Amino acid sequence: MGSNEKNTGIKLEYEILKDDFARAGEASSGIKKVLRQLGIDSSAIRKTAIATYEAEINIVIHSEGGKILVYIKPDKIEIIAKDNGPGIKDIDLAMQKGFSTASNRVRELGFGAGMGLPNMKKSSDEFYIESEMGKGTTVKMIITL
Amino acid sequence: MKEYWHSVALEKEKCNGCTICLRRCPTEAIRIRDGKAKIIKERCIDCGECIKVCPYHAKKAFAHDLKSIEKYEFKIALVSLPLYGQFELDNDINRIFNCFYELGFDKVYDVAYGADVLTTLQSDILKKSKRKPLIATLCPAIIRLIQIRFPSLIDHIIPIESPMEITARLAKKEVSQEHCLDFNKIGAFYITQCPAKITSIKKPIGIKESYVDGAIPIKSIYTKLLKIYKDVKKNDKIQKASGKGIGWARVGGQSFALGLDNYLAVDGIENVIKVLEEIELGKLNNIDFFEGYACVTGCVGGPLNVENPFIARNRIRQLSKCYGDKSLEKSEVDEILKTIQVKWTEKIEPLGILKLDSDIEKAIKKMELLDKINKKLPGIDCGSCGSPNCHAMAEDVVRGTATLEDCIIMLKKKVDK
Ligand SMILES: Nc1ncnc2c1ncn2[C@@H]1O[C@H](COP(=O)(O)OP(=O)(O)OP(=O)(O)O)[C@@H](O)[C@H]1O
Ligand code: SF4
Ligand SMILES: [Mg+2]
């Protein structure tokens, strides 16, 4: 956590490790705690929690690891989830409800319904996703306050 | 700001300032100041964890005693469900209920019957509702936890009264008609298993005013009941509940009574918090019903009971079988619904007491400061400063209720310099 030089704002940063199921969810509950202390309204807290949780899990399950950055400003919350590959081949397909490449092992853990990305989009007011094969995926979400 | 009142309180002389309760409080509501535990009342949810863990018995519940019933012309005992689990099974529950006459009560009611009424009512609500999962209202500590930590789940709570409140309403109606007495001449006392219930009488959630006038801990009258039991003379038929109603005393009892398959029944406040997190993330939208209890085993594990929670739960299970699983006739419940109000009349509001400032820009500034301070602190969460962990300590400094030198390690550094 640290201050954003230019404006009033808070930056939260979480390192997300590949396959680290034991800690999955820590980022989103940490963020929730901060938002409660800032007095953010409950529906925005819930939306932010869902968006970061799904982003976190996707990095754990589908990527080589990455980061979640959250910028909280008086008028909006900005979430950036960035990972180090392998990237998404067909973004339109990945965005479809129910599409998932999760392995059986992951499905046994209760993930892989193919609802993460659609829920992230639904929970945010602005949603952007970029991906390059071999490089990585970046999802940016904005929740207005 | 509404005024808060709490049942859980400290007996100062007994507290030696150890940090056991400090770390166990699920809402970080305790601080040690001047060598004694102090409860931040806005944050306390009356779950009674601190009462359970305090090795010096320095935490207690504000409650009534048998003397306080004297000021009423007509005295009603509302016997709570967990009482069923407090006695050996070869004792006759109805006889135990009759013991309350000897304690000075004029009439005794079986609160588990209120649970029977609620089973029928809740089943109806569950069938009609589209929201999932619906959250049970039984444990007031959980409702307050939701108001403080999970306000987005308030809409999931089933807005109906507790078995205690329903029984009190029925009892007062009946007594006032039979004896031509005004309500204010009738005192209804709940024989309570926990401080959360006591608080919910004084500061009710969802209604303006409780029909219950006071609460007497099970603990405080238990030995008296045992003594009276042997030669109690009266033998009124007081026990009225079915096995299903009695089952509400334990975790899972509501779902069992409702005949549900797709439910979650969770006991212990930390476990409840974990599941509420999942519900908030929308991961449990396929579940119909959630019953959560601050106490391990459910209300039968409440801090003002006498018996070991697991033994008591086992008895409840057996008694549930003995008393059968007959549900109330719909017509009987409809009749009751005609005479008393069972739905909440007041909206439950989120309690934004965790926020650093009501102005978001100021809150952000404070959060930045909190973060700076937190980074300076050693991060070992030792509790010696009197705050539950380093992060809470940083928060206390920002709120102006602690100073950096309260941290002994920071102080040592300063002295060494
Ligand atoms: N960060 C990522 N890196 C690589 N592939 C990804 C990433 N995020 C999503 N995907 C791909 O997009 C698919 C759909 O993602 P989505 O989050 O919608 O569903 P899921 O993770 O498979 O299942 P669920 O989120 O319901 O548990 C994934 O199965 C995966 O193939
Ligand atoms: S679980 Fe029951 S006994 Fe325990 S605090 Fe809640 S209402 Fe009281
Ligand atoms: Mg996903």
Side-chain angles (χ1 to χ4, degrees):
Chain A
M1 216 199 285
S3 65
N4 181 331
E5 263 75 36
K6 277 165 259 153
N7 301 307
T8 340
I10 286 179
K11 178 182 166 193
L12 306 171
E13 190 170 343
Y14 297 87
E15 203 73 45
I16 314 291
L17 300 178
K18 174 187 178 176
D19 288 335
D20 190 0
F21 288 101
R23 289 182 56 191
E26 268 183 21
S28 81
S29 65
I31 292 162
K32 239 174 29 177
K33 186 168 183 191
V34 172
L35 296 178
R36 271 197 302 263
Q37 287 185 315
L38 291 175
I40 305 283
D41 114 289
S42 61
S43 84
I45 294 183
R46 187 177 193 173
K47 286 199 263 177
T48 309
I50 293 174
T52 44
Y53 177 78
E54 293 294 351
E56 197 179 347
I57 295 291
N58 277 0
I59 296 178
V60 171
I61 294 178
H62 305 296
S63 88
E64 295 299 324
K67 239 184 220 178
I68 292 197
L69 294 159
V70 182
Y71 300 93
I72 307 162
K73 301 194 176 142
D75 58 336
K76 67 178 171 195
I77 300 167
E78 203 175 300
I79 304 157
I80 293 167
K82 205 176 158 93
D83 66 52
N84 312 317
I88 300 175
K89 213 191 292 166
D90 184 341
I91 289 182
D92 288 338
L93 188 61
M95 287 303 300
Q96 278 177 24
K97 282 186 190 168
F99 175 81
S100 175
T101 59
S103 66
N104 280 336
R105 184 179 71 92
V106 167
R107 282 171 204 259
E108 273 162 24
L109 291 170
F111 306 106
M115 289 305 292
L117 287 169
N119 278 341
M120 283 150 78
K121 185 164 182 190
K122 202 173 115 192
S123 304
S124 48
D125 297 297
E126 288 176 46
F127 177 92
Y128 311 94
I129 178 165
E130 265 171 30
S131 191
E132 194 178 325
M133 288 308 284
K135 277 243 170 89
T137 304
T138 304
V139 180
K140 181 174 161 182
M141 294 170 279
I142 293 174
I143 287 151
T144 43
L145 296 176
Chain B
M1 255 275 158
K2 263 193 235 134
E3 180 205 341
Y4 291 94
W5 183 88
H6 283 284
S7 166
V8 173
L10 182 80
E11 285 187 71
K12 251 193 171 164
E13 324 76 58
K14 291 190 185 167
C15 175
N16 77 351
C18 81
T19 56
I20 293 175
C21 61
L22 186 69
R23 291 147 185 277
R24 283 292 288 275
C25 175
T27 54
E28 295 185 348
I30 302 177
R31 299 292 181 272
I32 312 288
R33 298 281 180 253
D34 303 321
K36 303 279 174 192
K38 190 178 160 251
I39 302 171
I40 305 172
K41 35 180 206 302
E42 293 80 359
R43 289 193 181 195
C44 173
I45 59 172
D46 286 299
C47 65
E49 270 309 292
C50 55
I51 298 185
K52 287 182 208 158
V53 300
C54 178
Y56 309 100
H57 305 289
K59 292 275 178 27
K60 61 169 185 195
F62 273 125
H64 291 95
D65 55 20
L66 287 170
K67 269 190 227 107
S68 31
I69 72 175
E70 296 305 333
K71 70 173 193 219
Y72 294 92
E73 204 164 297
F74 196 99
K75 305 147 189 97
I76 294 174
L78 306 165
V79 183
S80 63
L81 292 96
L83 196 90
Y84 274 92
Q86 306 300 309
F87 303 89
E88 301 277 356
L89 286 173
D90 48 13
N91 290 323
D92 171 11
I93 291 290
N94 195 59
R95 197 177 157 104
I96 291 165
F97 280 22
N98 274 278
C99 294
F100 283 87
Y101 291 125
E102 305 282 325
L103 292 178
F105 290 97
D106 299 305
K107 195 145 190 195
V108 188
Y109 285 85
D110 179 5
V111 171
Y113 176 76
D116 275 326
V117 174
L118 277 171
T119 300
T120 307
L121 199 68
Q122 235 166 241
S123 163
D124 210 39
I125 293 173
L126 273 156
K127 269 182 215 133
K128 286 181 192 144
S129 168
K130 285 197 197 85
R131 205 182 291 274
K132 278 186 181 190
L134 286 182
I135 298 178
T137 359
L138 189 60
C139 175
I142 300 300
I143 302 302
R144 263 187 76 83
L145 176 75
I146 291 175
Q147 284 180 288
I148 293 175
R149 271 187 69 165
F150 302 96
S152 76
L153 299 180
I154 286 178
D155 293 343
H156 289 248
I157 300 170
I158 304 177
I160 52 172
E161 265 321 314
S162 65
M164 168 186 84
E165 200 62 44
I166 287 181
T167 314
R169 291 173 191 194
L170 287 171
K172 279 198 165 171
K173 263 247 152 75
E174 195 175 270
V175 168
S176 106
Q177 276 164 9
E178 276 175 14
H179 300 265
C180 296
L181 279 173
D182 280 346
F183 272 24
N184 59 14
K185 297 243 162 62
I186 310 168
F189 286 81
Y190 182 67
I191 310 304
T192 189
Q193 75 277 23
C194 71
K197 279 291 184 192
I198 303 177
T199 303
S200 82
I201 294 166
K202 261 205 126 155
K203 291 270 153 198
I205 301 172
I207 47 171
K208 277 214 179 74
E209 213 175 320
S210 171
Y211 280 59
V212 186
D213 299 288
I216 299 173
I218 290 180
K219 253 185 186 172
S220 71
I221 54 161
Y222 184 71
T223 44
K224 287 198 186 89
L225 289 176
L226 282 182
K227 272 187 209 138
I228 300 166
Y229 184 78
K230 282 181 264 122
D231 25 49
V232 60
K233 286 166 224 90
K234 263 193 145 166
N235 191 21
D236 283 4
K237 173 94 189 90
I238 300 166
Q239 197 289 329
K240 201 176 172 190
S242 76
K244 280 185 173 173
I246 297 168
W248 277 51
R250 66 169 176 94
V251 56
Q254 293 191 60
S255 300
F256 173 76
L258 288 161
L260 298 174
D261 293 319
N262 193 21
Y263 66 89
L264 279 177
V266 181
D267 56 339
I269 190 107
E270 291 300 333
N271 295 328
V272 170
I273 289 172
K274 280 187 199 135
V275 175
L276 290 173
E277 295 273 4
E278 305 262 310
I279 298 179
E280 194 162 50
L281 288 171
K283 294 205 307 179
L284 299 175
N285 291 347
N286 58 331
I287 302 284
D288 295 326
F289 180 66
F290 170 74
E291 49 173 304
Y293 300 85
C295 300
V296 172
T297 70
C299 293
V300 88
L304 304 180
N305 287 312
V306 178
E307 188 52 282
N308 170 298
F310 297 94
I311 296 172
R313 174 171 64 179
N314 179 35
R315 288 187 191 143
I316 295 290
R317 240 192 251 119
Q318 302 199 40
L319 287 169
S320 285
K321 268 204 192 122
C322 295
Y323 286 89
D325 61 357
K326 240 184 80 201
S327 299
L328 292 185
E329 292 295 334
K330 179 105 176 48
S331 56
E332 185 174 347
V333 176
D334 286 344
E335 233 10 80
I336 289 169
L337 296 184
K338 267 188 227 151
T339 59
I340 58 161
Q341 172 79 22
V342 294
K343 298 228 161 109
W344 282 349
T345 50
E346 311 297 301
K347 233 174 107 95
I348 329 185
E349 303 289 346
L351 298 174
I353 53 159
L354 298 175
K355 62 182 167 205
L356 294 167
D357 202 295
S358 39
D359 178 272
I360 178 149
E361 302 223 8
K362 281 188 194 145
I364 288 177
K365 281 260 150 44
K366 287 186 181 171
M367 185 55 97
E368 286 172 347
L369 183 62
L370 193 163
D371 184 44
K372 256 191 219 142
I373 297 168
N374 191 31
K375 282 202 180 109
K376 275 196 216 159
L377 293 171
I380 55 172
D381 297 339
C382 71
S384 311
C385 58
S387 305
N389 52 59
C390 295
H391 189 273
M393 163 68 170
E395 190 184 328
D396 289 346
V397 175
V398 171
R399 290 185 195 271
T401 56
T403 63
L404 268 184
E405 285 76 39
D406 289 331
C407 168
I408 49 167
I409 294 177
M410 295 296 284
L411 185 66
K412 185 168 182 298
K413 267 192 199 156
K414 203 173 159 188
V415 172
D416 286 350
K417 254 190 222 159

